[in-house]
Amino acid sequence: LNRLESSDNEFDGVAAYESEDCEFTQLNLHHNRSAGFSFDWRFVRNRIADCISSDNGSQGIFMRDSRWNTFERVTLQRNGEQGVFMAETTEIPGTACRRNRFLQAVITDNRAQGLRINDGSCESNQLEVSVVKDTRLEATIKGPMSGMLHKEDVAEIIVWVRGNAGRDPGNSP
């Protein structure tokens, strides 16, 4: 899916279920009643790049049962709840979000958390060389970090990893 603008939908801008090895590029998802992106069932090994999800009623990205996906240069801003919401479907074991990678993401000005990992089973997700700030609940971590995020980690962060130790996080990449 390439070069799509999706707005003013009853629910989500793009809902992708049972998608494997797909590419979603240059999408502009805004002013949808629910999430910009909804990845809720068997969303595996996909690439999402150069996309904007803004001004949606709930999340920029809603994820469950999502594994091994790569998000590159996504902008998630001014959404009604979280920038990214990751969870497991409690009734269906094995549906946690695992091994997803966010690279050069900009997650700003969302009304709740920039990133919410709702369930401890959502593990081995990475946030690299990304900015998460200016949300209602904000904190900042400076210095080197593995990029691995778990439920007990701080929900709002500015992260500089992989060789950026000692650089000032206030200077954007």
Side-chain angles (χ1 to χ4, degrees):
L1 191 58
N2 185 33
R3 295 184 180 167
L4 170 74
E5 181 171 1
S6 180
S7 64
D8 303 307
N9 290 292
E10 180 67 20
F11 295 105
D12 306 314
V14 169
Y17 306 118
E18 294 188 329
S19 301
E20 292 186 21
D21 302 311
C22 298
E23 288 204 3
F24 300 83
T25 58
Q26 299 179 20
L27 307 184
N28 183 7
L29 313 177
H30 60 92
H31 296 97
N32 296 292
R33 181 177 173 196
S34 296
F37 285 104
S38 180
F39 306 131
D40 197 20
W41 185 250
R42 296 183 187 156
F43 192 73
V44 181
R45 289 184 313 274
N46 299 292
R47 179 177 174 258
I48 300 86
D50 303 307
C51 295
I52 299 170
S53 181
S54 66
D55 303 294
N56 295 294
S58 56
Q59 295 83 17
I61 298 175
F62 177 90
M63 301 173 67
R64 289 189 297 200
D65 196 16
S66 298
R67 298 177 309 282
W68 295 103
N69 299 293
T70 301
F71 297 83
E72 301 170 359
R73 299 172 304 280
V74 295
T75 299
L76 309 170
Q77 59 191 14
R78 298 183 308 275
N79 292 293
E81 294 178 26
Q82 300 85 11
V84 178
F85 179 87
M86 290 186 189
E88 177 175 24
T89 303
T90 54
E91 301 82 27
I92 307 172
T95 57
C97 295
R98 295 189 174 145
R99 295 178 178 86
N100 297 290
R101 180 179 184 222
F102 290 81
L103 178 62
Q104 297 179 343
V106 176
I107 306 172
T108 61
D109 301 310
N110 296 286
R111 288 201 176 170
Q113 300 91 353
L115 173 64
R116 178 171 179 161
I117 300 174
N118 199 59
D119 300 292
S121 55
C122 293
E123 59 186 20
S124 300
N125 296 292
Q126 297 179 337
L127 181 65
E128 301 179 35
V129 193
S130 296
V131 176
V132 181
K133 67 177 186 173
D134 296 332
T135 57
R136 187 173 57 86
L137 305 169
E138 182 179 345
T140 301
I141 297 174
K142 296 181 180 180
M145 197 176 161
S146 70
M148 306 306 267
L149 300 174
H150 300 282
K151 182 179 179 180
E152 62 274 6
D153 291 324
V154 177
E156 315 291 322
I157 56 179
I158 296 174
V159 181
W160 292 78
V161 295
R162 304 210 194 287
N164 288 311
R167 284 189 59 190
D168 179 9
N171 296 327
S172 58

